[in-house]
Coordinates of all heavy atoms in Angstrom, one line a residue:
M1 N 20.3 -31.1 -12.9 CA 20.4 -29.7 -13.2 C 21.9 -29.3 -13.0 O 22.5 -29.7 -12.0 CB 19.5 -28.8 -12.3 CG 18.9 -27.7 -13.0 SD 17.9 -26.7 -11.9 CE 16.3 -27.5 -12.0
T2 N 22.4 -28.5 -13.9 CA 23.8 -28.1 -13.7 C 23.9 -27.0 -12.7 O 22.9 -26.4 -12.3 CB 24.3 -27.5 -15.1 OG1 23.7 -26.3 -15.3 CG2 24.2 -28.5 -16.2
K3 N 25.1 -26.8 -12.2 CA 25.3 -25.8 -11.1 C 24.8 -24.4 -11.6 O 24.2 -23.7 -10.8 CB 26.8 -25.7 -10.8 CG 27.3 -27.0 -10.0 CD 27.0 -26.8 -8.6 CE 27.7 -28.0 -7.8 NZ 27.2 -28.1 -6.5
T4 N 25.1 -24.1 -12.9 CA 24.7 -22.8 -13.4 C 23.2 -22.6 -13.4 O 22.7 -21.6 -13.0 CB 25.3 -22.6 -14.8 OG1 26.7 -22.7 -14.8 CG2 25.0 -21.2 -15.3
L5 N 22.5 -23.6 -13.9 CA 21.1 -23.6 -13.9 C 20.5 -23.5 -12.5 O 19.5 -22.8 -12.3 CB 20.5 -24.8 -14.7 CG 20.6 -24.7 -16.2 CD1 20.1 -26.1 -16.8 CD2 19.8 -23.6 -16.8
E6 N 21.0 -24.3 -11.6 CA 20.6 -24.3 -10.2 C 20.8 -22.9 -9.6 O 19.9 -22.4 -8.9 CB 21.3 -25.3 -9.4 CG 20.9 -25.4 -8.0 CD 19.5 -25.9 -7.8 OE1 18.9 -26.6 -8.6 OE2 18.9 -25.4 -6.8
R7 N 21.9 -22.3 -9.8 CA 22.2 -21.0 -9.3 C 21.2 -19.9 -9.9 O 20.7 -19.1 -9.2 CB 23.6 -20.6 -9.6 CG 24.1 -19.3 -8.8 CD 25.6 -19.1 -8.9 NE 26.2 -20.1 -9.7 CZ 27.2 -19.9 -10.6 NH1 27.7 -18.7 -10.8 NH2 27.7 -20.9 -11.3
R8 N 21.0 -20.0 -11.2 CA 20.1 -19.1 -11.9 C 18.7 -19.2 -11.3 O 18.0 -18.3 -11.1 CB 20.1 -19.3 -13.4 CG 19.3 -18.3 -14.1 CD 19.8 -16.9 -13.9 NE 18.8 -15.9 -14.5 CZ 18.3 -14.9 -13.9 NH1 18.8 -14.5 -12.7 NH2 17.4 -14.1 -14.5
R9 N 18.3 -20.5 -11.1 CA 17.0 -20.8 -10.6 C 16.8 -20.1 -9.2 O 15.8 -19.5 -8.9 CB 16.7 -22.3 -10.5 CG 15.4 -22.7 -10.0 CD 15.3 -24.3 -9.9 NE 14.4 -24.7 -9.0 CZ 14.5 -24.8 -7.6 NH1 15.7 -24.4 -7.1 NH2 13.6 -25.2 -6.9
E10 N 17.8 -20.3 -8.3 CA 17.8 -19.6 -7.0 C 17.8 -18.1 -7.1 O 17.0 -17.5 -6.3 CB 19.0 -20.1 -6.2 CG 19.0 -21.6 -5.8 CD 20.2 -22.0 -5.1 OE1 21.1 -21.2 -4.8 OE2 20.3 -23.3 -4.8
E11 N 18.5 -17.6 -8.0 CA 18.5 -16.1 -8.2 C 17.1 -15.6 -8.6 O 16.6 -14.6 -8.2 CB 19.5 -15.7 -9.3 CG 21.0 -15.8 -8.8 CD 22.0 -15.6 -10.0 OE1 21.5 -15.3 -11.1 OE2 23.2 -15.6 -9.7
M12 N 16.5 -16.4 -9.5 CA 15.1 -16.0 -10.0 C 14.1 -16.1 -8.8 O 13.3 -15.2 -8.7 CB 14.7 -16.9 -11.2 CG 15.5 -16.6 -12.4 SD 15.0 -17.7 -13.8 CE 13.4 -17.2 -14.1
L13 N 14.3 -17.1 -8.0 CA 13.4 -17.2 -6.9 C 13.6 -16.0 -5.9 O 12.7 -15.5 -5.4 CB 13.6 -18.5 -6.1 CG 13.1 -19.8 -6.8 CD1 13.6 -21.0 -6.1 CD2 11.6 -19.8 -7.0
D14 N 14.9 -15.7 -5.7 CA 15.2 -14.5 -4.8 C 14.6 -13.2 -5.4 O 14.1 -12.4 -4.6 CB 16.7 -14.4 -4.6 CG 17.3 -15.5 -3.8 OD1 16.5 -16.2 -3.1 OD2 18.6 -15.7 -3.8
E15 N 14.8 -13.0 -6.7 CA 14.2 -11.8 -7.3 C 12.7 -11.8 -7.2 O 12.2 -10.7 -6.9 CB 14.7 -11.8 -8.8 CG 16.1 -11.5 -9.0 CD 16.6 -11.7 -10.4 OE1 15.7 -11.9 -11.3 OE2 17.8 -11.7 -10.7
G16 N 12.1 -12.9 -7.4 CA 10.6 -13.0 -7.3 C 10.2 -12.7 -5.8 O 9.2 -12.0 -5.6
L17 N 10.9 -13.2 -4.9 CA 10.6 -13.0 -3.5 C 10.7 -11.5 -3.2 O 9.9 -10.9 -2.5 CB 11.5 -13.8 -2.6 CG 11.3 -13.7 -1.1 CD1 9.9 -14.1 -0.7 CD2 12.3 -14.5 -0.3
L18 N 11.8 -10.9 -3.6 CA 12.1 -9.5 -3.4 C 11.0 -8.6 -4.0 O 10.5 -7.6 -3.4 CB 13.5 -9.0 -3.9 CG 14.6 -9.5 -3.0 CD1 15.9 -9.1 -3.7 CD2 14.6 -8.8 -1.6
L19 N 10.6 -9.0 -5.2 CA 9.6 -8.2 -6.0 C 8.3 -8.3 -5.2 O 7.6 -7.3 -5.0 CB 9.4 -8.8 -7.4 CG 8.4 -8.1 -8.3 CD1 8.8 -6.6 -8.4 CD2 8.3 -8.8 -9.6
G20 N 7.9 -9.5 -4.7 CA 6.7 -9.7 -3.9 C 6.7 -8.8 -2.7 O 5.7 -8.2 -2.3
I21 N 7.8 -8.8 -2.0 CA 8.0 -8.0 -0.8 C 7.8 -6.5 -1.1 O 7.1 -5.8 -0.4 CB 9.3 -8.3 -0.1 CG1 9.3 -9.7 0.5 CG2 9.6 -7.2 1.0 CD1 10.7 -10.1 1.0
M22 N 8.4 -6.1 -2.2 CA 8.3 -4.7 -2.6 C 6.9 -4.3 -2.9 O 6.4 -3.2 -2.6 CB 9.3 -4.4 -3.7 CG 10.7 -4.4 -3.3 SD 12.0 -4.3 -4.6 CE 11.3 -3.1 -5.7
Q23 N 6.2 -5.2 -3.7 CA 4.8 -4.9 -4.0 C 3.9 -4.8 -2.8 O 3.1 -4.0 -2.7 CB 4.3 -6.0 -5.0 CG 4.9 -5.9 -6.4 CD 4.5 -7.0 -7.3 OE1 4.2 -8.1 -6.8 NE2 4.6 -6.8 -8.6
G24 N 4.2 -5.7 -1.8 CA 3.5 -5.7 -0.6 C 3.7 -4.4 0.2 O 2.7 -3.8 0.7
I25 N 4.9 -3.9 0.2 CA 5.2 -2.7 0.9 C 4.5 -1.5 0.2 O 3.9 -0.6 0.8 CB 6.8 -2.4 1.0 CG1 7.4 -3.4 1.9 CG2 7.1 -1.0 1.4 CD1 8.9 -3.5 1.9
N26 N 4.6 -1.5 -1.1 CA 3.9 -0.4 -1.9 C 2.4 -0.4 -1.6 O 1.8 0.6 -1.5 CB 4.2 -0.6 -3.4 CG 5.6 -0.2 -3.7 OD1 6.3 0.5 -3.0 ND2 6.1 -0.7 -4.9
Q27 N 1.8 -1.6 -1.6 CA 0.4 -1.7 -1.3 C 0.0 -1.2 0.1 O -0.9 -0.5 0.3 CB -0.1 -3.1 -1.5 CG -1.6 -3.3 -1.3 CD -2.4 -2.6 -2.4 OE1 -2.1 -2.7 -3.6 NE2 -3.3 -1.8 -2.1
K28 N 0.9 -1.5 1.0 CA 0.7 -1.1 2.4 C 0.8 0.5 2.5 O 0.0 1.1 3.2 CB 1.7 -1.7 3.3 CG 1.4 -1.4 4.8 CD 2.4 -2.3 5.7 CE 2.1 -2.0 7.1 NZ 2.9 -2.7 8.0
V29 N 1.7 1.1 1.8 CA 1.9 2.5 1.8 C 0.7 3.1 1.1 O 0.1 4.1 1.6 CB 3.2 2.9 1.0 CG1 3.2 4.4 0.7 CG2 4.4 2.5 1.8
E30 N 0.2 2.6 0.0 CA -1.0 3.1 -0.7 C -2.2 3.0 0.3 O -3.0 4.0 0.4 CB -1.3 2.3 -1.9 CG -0.7 2.8 -3.2 CD -1.1 1.9 -4.4 OE1 -2.3 1.5 -4.5 OE2 -0.2 1.6 -5.2
N31 N -2.4 1.9 0.9 CA -3.5 1.8 1.9 C -3.4 2.8 3.0 O -4.4 3.4 3.4 CB -3.6 0.3 2.4 CG -3.9 -0.7 1.4 OD1 -4.4 -0.4 0.3 ND2 -3.7 -1.9 1.7
Q32 N -2.2 3.0 3.5 CA -2.0 4.0 4.6 C -2.4 5.4 4.1 O -3.0 6.2 4.8 CB -0.6 4.0 5.1 CG -0.4 4.9 6.3 CD -1.2 4.6 7.5 OE1 -1.5 3.4 7.8 NE2 -1.7 5.6 8.2
E33 N -2.0 5.7 2.9 CA -2.3 7.0 2.3 C -3.8 7.2 2.1 O -4.4 8.3 2.4 CB -1.6 7.2 1.0 CG -0.1 7.4 1.1 CD 0.7 7.4 -0.2 OE1 0.1 7.1 -1.3 OE2 1.8 7.7 -0.2
I34 N -4.5 6.2 1.7 CA -6.0 6.2 1.6 C -6.6 6.5 3.0 O -7.5 7.3 3.1 CB -6.5 4.9 1.0 CG1 -6.1 4.8 -0.5 CG2 -8.0 4.8 1.1 CD1 -6.3 3.5 -1.2
V35 N -6.1 5.8 4.0 CA -6.7 6.0 5.3 C -6.4 7.4 5.8 O -7.3 8.0 6.3 CB -6.0 4.9 6.3 CG1 -6.4 5.3 7.8 CG2 -6.5 3.5 6.0
Q36 N -5.2 7.9 5.5 CA -4.9 9.3 5.9 C -5.8 10.3 5.2 O -6.3 11.3 5.8 CB -3.5 9.6 5.7 CG -2.5 8.9 6.7 CD -1.1 9.0 6.3 OE1 -0.7 9.3 5.2 NE2 -0.2 8.7 7.2
D37 N -6.1 10.1 3.9 CA -7.0 10.9 3.1 C -8.4 10.9 3.7 O -9.0 11.9 3.8 CB -7.0 10.5 1.7 CG -5.7 10.8 0.9 OD1 -4.8 11.6 1.5 OD2 -5.5 10.3 -0.2
A38 N -8.8 9.7 4.0 CA -10.2 9.6 4.6 C -10.3 10.3 5.9 O -11.3 10.9 6.2 CB -10.5 8.1 4.8
Q39 N -9.3 10.2 6.8 CA -9.3 10.9 8.1 C -9.3 12.4 7.8 O -10.0 13.1 8.6 CB -8.1 10.5 8.9 CG -8.1 9.1 9.4 CD -6.8 8.6 10.0 OE1 -5.8 9.1 9.7 NE2 -6.9 7.5 10.8
L40 N -8.6 12.9 6.9 CA -8.5 14.3 6.6 C -9.9 14.8 6.1 O -10.4 15.8 6.5 CB -7.5 14.6 5.5 CG -7.3 16.1 5.1 CD1 -7.0 17.0 6.3 CD2 -6.3 16.2 4.1
I41 N -10.5 14.0 5.2 CA -11.9 14.3 4.7 C -12.9 14.4 5.9 O -13.7 15.3 6.0 CB -12.3 13.3 3.7 CG1 -11.5 13.5 2.4 CG2 -13.8 13.4 3.4 CD1 -11.6 12.4 1.4
D42 N -12.8 13.4 6.8 CA -13.7 13.4 8.0 C -13.5 14.6 8.8 O -14.4 15.2 9.3 CB -13.4 12.1 8.9 CG -14.0 10.9 8.3 OD1 -14.9 11.0 7.4 OD2 -13.6 9.8 8.7
E43 N -12.2 15.0 9.0 CA -11.9 16.3 9.8 C -12.5 17.5 9.1 O -13.1 18.4 9.8 CB -10.4 16.4 10.0 CG -9.8 15.4 10.9 CD -8.3 15.5 10.9 OE1 -7.7 16.6 10.6 OE2 -7.6 14.5 11.3
V44 N -12.4 17.6 7.8 CA -13.0 18.7 7.1 C -14.5 18.7 7.2 O -15.1 19.8 7.5 CB -12.5 18.7 5.6 CG1 -13.3 19.7 4.8 CG2 -11.0 18.9 5.5
I45 N -15.1 17.6 7.0 CA -16.6 17.5 7.2 C -17.0 17.9 8.6 O -17.9 18.7 8.8 CB -17.1 16.1 6.8 CG1 -16.9 15.8 5.3 CG2 -18.5 15.9 7.3 CD1 -17.1 14.4 4.9
D46 N -16.3 17.4 9.6 CA -16.6 17.8 11.0 C -16.4 19.3 11.2 O -17.2 19.9 11.9 CB -15.7 17.0 12.0 CG -16.1 15.5 12.1 OD1 -17.2 15.2 11.6 OD2 -15.3 14.7 12.5
S47 N -15.4 19.9 10.6 CA -15.2 21.3 10.8 C -16.3 22.1 10.1 O -16.6 23.3 10.5 CB -13.8 21.7 10.4 OG -13.7 21.7 8.9
L48 N -16.9 21.6 9.1 CA -18.0 22.3 8.3 C -19.3 22.2 9.0 O -20.2 23.0 8.7 CB -18.0 21.9 6.9 CG -16.8 22.2 6.0 CD1 -16.9 21.6 4.7 CD2 -16.6 23.7 5.9
K49 N -19.5 21.1 9.8 CA -20.9 20.9 10.3 C -21.5 22.1 11.1 O -22.6 22.4 10.9 CB -20.8 19.6 11.2 CG -20.8 18.3 10.5 CD -20.8 17.1 11.4 CE -20.8 15.8 10.6 NZ -20.7 14.7 11.5
P50 N -20.7 22.8 11.9 CA -21.3 23.9 12.6 C -21.8 25.0 11.6 O -22.7 25.7 11.9 CB -20.1 24.5 13.4 CG -19.2 23.3 13.6 CD -19.3 22.5 12.3
L51 N -21.2 25.1 10.5 CA -21.6 26.1 9.5 C -22.9 25.8 8.8 O -23.7 26.7 8.5 CB -20.5 26.3 8.4 CG -19.1 26.8 8.9 CD1 -18.2 26.8 7.7 CD2 -19.3 28.2 9.5
Y52 N -23.2 24.5 8.7 CA -24.4 24.1 7.9 C -25.4 23.3 8.7 O -26.4 22.9 8.2 CB -23.9 23.2 6.7 CG -23.1 24.0 5.7 CD1 -21.7 23.9 5.7 CD2 -23.7 24.8 4.8 CE1 -20.9 24.6 4.8 CE2 -22.9 25.5 3.9 CZ -21.5 25.4 3.9 OH -20.8 26.1 3.1
G53 N -25.2 23.2 10.0 CA -26.1 22.5 10.8 C -25.8 21.0 10.8 O -25.0 20.5 9.9
R54 N -26.4 20.2 11.6 CA -26.0 18.8 11.7 C -26.8 18.0 10.7 O -26.3 16.9 10.3 CB -26.3 18.3 13.2 CG -25.2 18.8 14.1 CD -25.0 17.7 15.2 NE -23.9 18.0 16.0 CZ -22.7 17.5 15.7 NH1 -22.5 16.8 14.7 NH2 -21.6 17.8 16.5
S55 N -28.0 18.3 10.4 CA -28.7 17.4 9.5 C -29.1 18.2 8.2 O -29.1 19.4 8.1 CB -30.0 17.0 10.1 OG -30.9 18.1 10.3
N56 N -29.3 17.4 7.1 CA -29.6 17.9 5.8 C -31.1 17.7 5.5 O -31.5 17.6 4.3 CB -28.8 17.3 4.7 CG -27.3 17.7 4.8 OD1 -27.0 18.8 5.3 ND2 -26.4 16.9 4.4
Q57 N -31.9 17.6 6.5 CA -33.4 17.3 6.3 C -34.2 18.5 5.9 O -34.1 19.6 6.4 CB -34.0 16.6 7.5 CG -33.3 15.3 7.8 CD -33.8 14.6 9.1 OE1 -34.6 15.2 9.8 NE2 -33.3 13.5 9.4

C-alpha cells in the first residue's frame, strides 16, 4: 500500500471511530431523556392519585 492510501485508510478508520462515538453519545442522551420523561410521568400520576383514589376498581 502506498503512503497516501495508508494515510487515507487511517483517516477513514479515525472518522468511523469518531462517528461511532458520537452515535453512542447521542443514544445515551436519548435514553436519558426517555428516563427523565418516564420519571416526570410517574410524578404526575402520583400527584393525581389523591384526586381519583388509589384503585380503579
Side-chain angles (χ1 to χ4, degrees):
M1 218 183 273
T2 67
K3 291 276 188 194
T4 304
L5 285 176
E6 180 65 29
R7 191 170 1 139
R8 183 62 190 136
R9 182 180 156 280
E10 289 174 6
E11 288 172 0
M12 289 176 68
L13 288 173
D14 289 345
E15 289 169 10
L17 181 60
L18 285 174
L19 183 59
I21 291 169
M22 289 169 45
Q23 287 173 337
I25 290 170
N26 287 339
Q27 186 63 51
K28 187 172 182 178
V29 168
E30 268 182 42
N31 290 346
Q32 184 61 36
E33 289 171 350
I34 290 169
V35 168
Q36 289 170 342
D37 289 348
Q39 289 170 337
L40 181 59
I41 290 168
D42 284 344
E43 289 174 21
V44 169
I45 290 171
D46 287 343
S47 71
L48 294 175
K49 280 181 182 176
L51 297 175
Y52 296 99
R54 285 212 168 269
S55 68
N56 290 332
Q57 297 174 357

